[in-house]
Amino acid sequence: MRKATLGAMKIIDIGANLTDPVFRGRYRGKQAHADDLAQILARACAAGVVGMMVTGGSLKESAAAIQLSREHAGLFATVGCHPTRTSEADAHSGGADAYFGALRELIDANRDVVVAVGECGLDYDRLHFAGKDVQLRHFERQFELAEATGLPMFLHSRNTGGDFERIVRAHRGRFSGGVVHSFTGTADEARQLLELGLYIGINGCSLKTAENLAVTRTIPIERLMIETDCPYCEIRRTHASHALLEQADSAWTAPDAKRKERWASDNMVKSRNEPCTIRQVLSVLAQLHGVGEEELAARLFENTRAVFLAGVKHELD
């Protein structure tokens, strides 16, 4: 990535699913337009994004995230198994032990770009991908990875009825720190996570409803991180946060978006979120907390650097 061009603002997107084929122009197995990852990264830089954590949600995705991080300065990788992908571990040719052993090997061989264990956690909204027992068993395996490597964790929680908080609390002494990304929980759930010393990641999915906005307002700035979770979790017109975007006095304007069938290199693709839109999340958070965007961006940058980048060399300063 090039250095950001928009003033002195520096933003790190902690959750970018850049291994998704849509960022290469492929949708559901079909090539719809040219590979435009370079343009996507350029738009992110122009919006003030100086770094991204590329999410690894499986063994294959983790390897791809590492490869992207080696090809583009300012990108870093997470290595882990998403709860909805945990059935892959049992189906692995060598079994679950070999699967998690391979994840450990990826981490050990790439410590200069791997910054977290994850994405891992529990997701009870999508048990059709992996049952509760499978998710629980393999979530615990990833605390072993974090403890063995000393890495922080990139965590996921959806509708777990308290299981997520209970398990993290039981294993909290095994990992240095981390973030619960794409947070959509209640104020009480946020409080429990903060009490565990964790950070909370906010994206467009975190800002859908008035209740979401009220909860987000209660999270201290010093415990927040910011993300897009692209290509998912864009802020849509139906979201409660969209009204705040319309009121915002921001120096950044989103590029025009076109349908993929009418793709042009200078435009975003409709319904394909991308890292530059992190400026919209930043704008909403700044209004919710009553601070300027530059001040908030600086605080969030320091939060992320302290947790995830302390152990790697980088040129984001």
Side-chain angles (χ1 to χ4, degrees), residues 131-145:
K132 186 182 297 188
D133 60 329
V134 177
Q135 291 191 29
L136 288 166
R137 186 167 68 252
H138 294 319
F139 185 21
E140 301 216 9
R141 292 290 297 263
Q142 296 182 79
F143 292 107
E144 296 175 16
L145 282 177

Side-chain angles (χ1 to χ4, degrees), residues 156-177:
H156 175 107
S157 176
R158 282 288 184 275
N159 193 27
T160 70
D163 283 356
F164 177 84
E165 291 81 7
R166 174 181 57 81
I167 292 171
V168 172
R169 185 175 294 107
H171 294 277
R172 185 61 187 87
R174 304 180 70 184
F175 64 102
S176 60

Side-chain angles (χ1 to χ4, degrees), residues 162-286:
D163 283 356
F164 177 84
E165 291 81 7
R166 174 181 57 81
I167 292 171
V168 172
R169 185 175 294 107
H171 294 277
R172 185 61 187 87
R174 304 180 70 184
F175 64 102
S176 60
V179 65
V180 180
H181 101 108
S182 193
F183 181 74
T184 59
T186 65
D188 183 61
E189 288 169 334
R191 178 188 56 78
Q192 292 184 62
L193 298 177
L194 295 174
E195 289 175 353
L196 287 166
L198 298 175
Y199 288 73
I200 295 178
I202 300 296
N203 58 37
C205 288
S206 311
L207 304 168
K208 288 182 177 180
T209 68
E211 181 183 0
N212 291 154
L213 300 185
V215 171
T216 300
R217 189 179 282 113
T218 70
I219 303 170
I221 291 173
E222 58 269 21
R223 301 291 288 282
L224 282 171
M225 293 184 187
I226 192 170
E227 58 179 296
T228 57
D229 203 28
C230 62
Y232 318 109
C233 289
E234 64 184 334
I235 293 179
R236 300 181 178 179
R237 291 187 177 276
T238 55
H239 293 178
S241 54
H242 194 272
L244 294 179
L245 289 182
E246 294 179 333
Q247 300 170 17
D249 181 18
S250 176
W252 182 81
T253 302
D256 290 337
K258 294 184 177 182
R259 294 171 59 87
K260 63 181 184 295
E261 294 82 6
R262 299 178 58 210
W263 175 86
S265 61
D266 292 337
N267 297 109
M268 296 196 303
V269 174
K270 285 186 176 180
S271 299
R272 183 190 71 175
N273 196 18
E274 61 177 74
C276 70
T277 66
I278 204 164
R279 288 299 301 270
Q280 295 179 329
V281 181
L282 179 72
S283 175
V284 172
L285 284 177

Side-chain angles (χ1 to χ4, degrees), residues 92-107:
H92 187 66
S93 58
D97 287 345
Y99 187 93
F100 286 100
L103 288 175
R104 171 68 188 274
E105 290 173 3
L106 276 180
I107 294 171

